[in-house]
Amino acid sequence: MKRVAVLGGGPAGAFAAEQLASAGLAVTLIDEKLAWEKPCGGGLTYKAYSRYPFLIENSIPKRLVTETVLAAPRASAVTLKMSDPLVVYSRFDLNRMLLERAERAGAQIEKVRVTGMSRSGPVWQLRTGSGVLEADFCIVATGARNPLRDVGTQLAPSDTMAALGYYVPGEQAGIDIQFLPRLEGYIWIFPRCGHLSVGICGKGEPAAALRKRLELFMNERGLPWKGSAFYSHLLPSLETRSWRNNRVAGEGWMAVGDAAGLVDPITGEGIYYAMRSADLATRSLLALPGDLAAQSAHYRTALRRDFTADLEFGSRLAKRVFLGRFLLSAVTTRTVQFTARSPRFAAIMQDLFAGRQPYLGLKRRLMRNLKGSLYEIAMSLGFARLLPGSLPAKPSL
Ligand SMILES: Cc1cc2nc3c(=O)[nH]c(=O)nc-3n(C[C@H](O)[C@H](O)[C@H](O)COP(=O)(O)OP(=O)(O)OC[C@H]3O[C@@H](n4cnc5c(N)ncnc54)[C@H](O)[C@@H]3O)c2cc1C
């Protein structure tokens, strides 16, 4: 294989181009916008920067956020301290850093739109705004609104969430997460360099209804939305069955990042999975040169082992987390209450936020800690005297 075309220059495409160019392949990355302020929180978890330390060890402007305020209907808000901060970037800055790394590694970067692709024998012909480009292999990294219909995941409406919001002037130290009644999603306030990103994501609800919910919330919080810059985009949020048949690779191509639907169906985190899938795709490509079928199979297996089995399980949990009930109340309400009253439960939440606690294994950890958590909750509610462990010792005879 001589020439690889990387279609799309977001985190997935830029990272794939860097890896392949570093390995000595002739790489052309094509993006219609190059670095741009994609609608996105821009938040990177511990999971992301512990695997790729250059994401935190650099001089690019960023915010390190160490607390999140969680709130839900009928539960007082609770502040969750994060032992490992969330790193928040402007997407323009993050994309630019990743594209510069790709260029330094030797990738050729072109700012043009890909309008179509076809295969003639072993060669791809890519139609672009400035002519036709030939390549032996394509990495498809064109994001959630991938216009190239024959490659990448096939997102049904039920496999997506709308995500929209406003950039609002303002300043605050922590993140706010607000759960809402009957919404498979949440509202966020992210502090960024110089402004706040206030947004909402939700599955199964039209964007207009989500926007109304968000504006109502912003009115209640005194956050101005009239006159603030509005953003909206699509978030892949695959249903459980869609994870099984997800089209991530084919003859002469592999899809990475949002173009492969690789987003956490509960949190909406996608930047880490964009970079990780790019990493796995390039390794598969380099491990089995020339054997297209084996490369595809290798990539599918690597994804499943690394994180898609976990995200598939997360897609099963999502409805229970956002819409389920526990002890006569919404799960989201109980989650906030338990976080406030049980340090053990709060530690699990911290690990979930940092990406240290996978969804597979979460139930086991919750069950293992259940007695201890309930004990802590009962103590915090003032039931100490009713608990067997806290009865006064029998007077000795
Ligand atoms: C509102 C919102 C908030 C989010 N917040 C977070 C967050 O805080 N943390 C997090 O981890 N994830 C977040 N995400 C998810 C994250 O934004 C994505 O998962 C991530 O950007 C995926 O990277 P990617 O490279 O796959 O795709 P993208 O970043 O979408 O990049 C795709 C690139 O392809 C280019 N392109 C597309 N079509 C063509 C074409 N035909 N020709 C040429 N170029 C093309 C585009 O210009 C773009 O640069 C959020 C998403 C949304 C919508």
Side-chain angles (χ1 to χ4, degrees):
M1 185 195 314
K2 296 181 191 73
R3 301 156 301 171
V4 181
V6 177
L7 317 180
F15 199 49
E18 179 191 343
Q19 307 281 82
L20 291 170
S22 301
L25 296 189
V27 179
T28 305
L29 179 150
I30 310 168
D31 192 298
E32 60 184 328
K33 301 191 194 116
L34 294 180
W36 64 296
E37 194 55 58
K38 185 199 169 216
C40 179
L44 293 177
T45 57
Y46 167 78
K47 179 173 56 191
Y49 60 78
S50 59
R51 187 173 291 273
Y52 304 116
F54 73 86
L55 289 173
I56 189 164
E57 292 161 9
N58 61 58
S59 58
I60 311 292
K62 59 181 99 49
R63 293 284 304 252
L64 300 191
V65 180
T66 53
E67 40 178 72
T68 300
V69 176
L70 296 173
R74 285 187 281 285
S76 315
V78 57
T79 301
L80 183 71
K81 297 270 178 213
M82 293 184 281
S83 40
D84 301 295
L86 190 84
V87 179
V88 182
Y89 282 98
S90 123
R91 276 301 299 269
F92 179 86
D93 289 340
L94 178 66
N95 284 22
R96 186 171 57 180
M97 170 174 74
L98 294 169
L99 285 165
E100 282 174 359
R101 287 175 63 93
E103 198 164 25
R104 273 201 303 276
Q108 190 185 328
I109 312 266
E110 287 193 20
K111 186 177 180 186
V112 68
R113 181 172 172 79
V114 181
T115 52
M117 58 195 289
S118 54
R119 201 159 156 79
S120 153
V123 177
W124 284 107
Q125 250 124 34
L126 304 167
R127 288 183 297 285
T128 74
S130 58
V132 176
L133 188 99
E134 292 201 334
D136 303 303
F137 198 91
C138 286
I139 297 284
V140 180
T142 35
R145 288 182 177 149
N146 173 23
L148 306 165
R149 291 289 134 220
D150 298 332
V151 289
T153 193
Q154 295 165 295
L155 291 176
S158 56
D159 293 321
T160 64
M161 288 194 173
L164 54 93
Y166 293 92
Y167 296 121
V168 178
E171 173 65 35
Q172 67 177 48
I175 289 171
D176 282 65
I177 300 288
Q178 173 74 50
F179 299 111
L180 299 170
R182 294 173 300 285
L183 179 69
E184 191 177 342
Y186 60 91
I187 285 178
W188 67 84
I189 306 178
F190 262 45
R192 312 214 323 170
C193 296
H195 64 274
L196 304 173
S197 165
V198 187
I200 186 167
C201 60
K203 198 164 180 179
E205 196 164 304
L210 290 174
R211 191 167 175 174
K212 274 211 177 107
R213 285 198 197 239
L214 180 66
E215 288 168 358
L216 195 66
F217 168 84
M218 291 175 76
N219 287 341
E220 283 165 7
R221 288 290 190 96
L223 294 162
W225 53 268
K226 281 184 197 150
S228 294
F230 177 72
Y231 61 80
S232 76
H233 210 279
L234 198 67
L235 257 178
S237 177
L238 267 56
E239 292 284 306
T240 308
R241 64 177 177 282
S242 305
W243 282 108
R244 298 272 159 78
N245 313 313
N246 194 12
R247 196 177 62 172
V248 294
E251 205 183 320
W253 65 269
M254 288 177 193
V256 291
D258 280 16
L262 304 175
V263 172
D264 185 316
I266 297 181
T267 63
E269 178 181 8
I271 299 170
Y272 168 73
Y273 298 110
M275 295 179 62
R276 187 68 187 142
S277 57
D279 198 352
L280 298 175
T282 56
R283 282 172 202 228
S284 301
L285 206 55
L286 297 168
L288 301 155
D291 189 342
L292 296 182
Q295 286 167 339
S296 295
H298 191 276
Y299 178 47
R300 276 195 203 94
T301 308
L303 279 178
R304 183 130 198 103
R305 284 209 186 119
D306 201 277
F307 66 83
T308 57
D310 195 51
L311 296 190
E312 180 184 323
F313 188 68
S315 71
R316 239 187 277 163
L317 284 184
K319 289 211 167 34
R320 266 183 261 166
V321 168
F322 290 115
L323 306 174
R325 293 185 68 77
F326 183 63
L327 297 175
L328 304 175
S329 199
V331 168
T332 48
T333 302
R334 292 297 182 216
T335 301
V336 174
Q337 291 169 334
F338 283 18
T339 304
R341 295 189 174 279
S342 163
R344 280 166 194 259
F345 191 85
I348 297 174
M349 291 298 288
Q350 277 184 346
D351 284 351
L352 272 171
F353 272 64
R356 254 189 264 107
Q357 172 61 57
Y359 296 126
L360 290 162
L362 176 61
K363 187 173 171 193
R364 206 174 332 123
R365 183 164 171 203
L366 285 169
M367 294 311 286
R368 219 176 38 237
N369 283 277
L370 185 63
K371 259 192 191 164
S373 297
L374 289 174
Y375 180 83
E376 287 168 348
I377 291 163
M379 294 288 277
S380 79
L381 289 169
F383 293 138
R385 284 183 307 122
L386 303 178
L387 292 166
S390 59
L391 289 176
K394 274 188 192 163
S396 51
L397 294 172

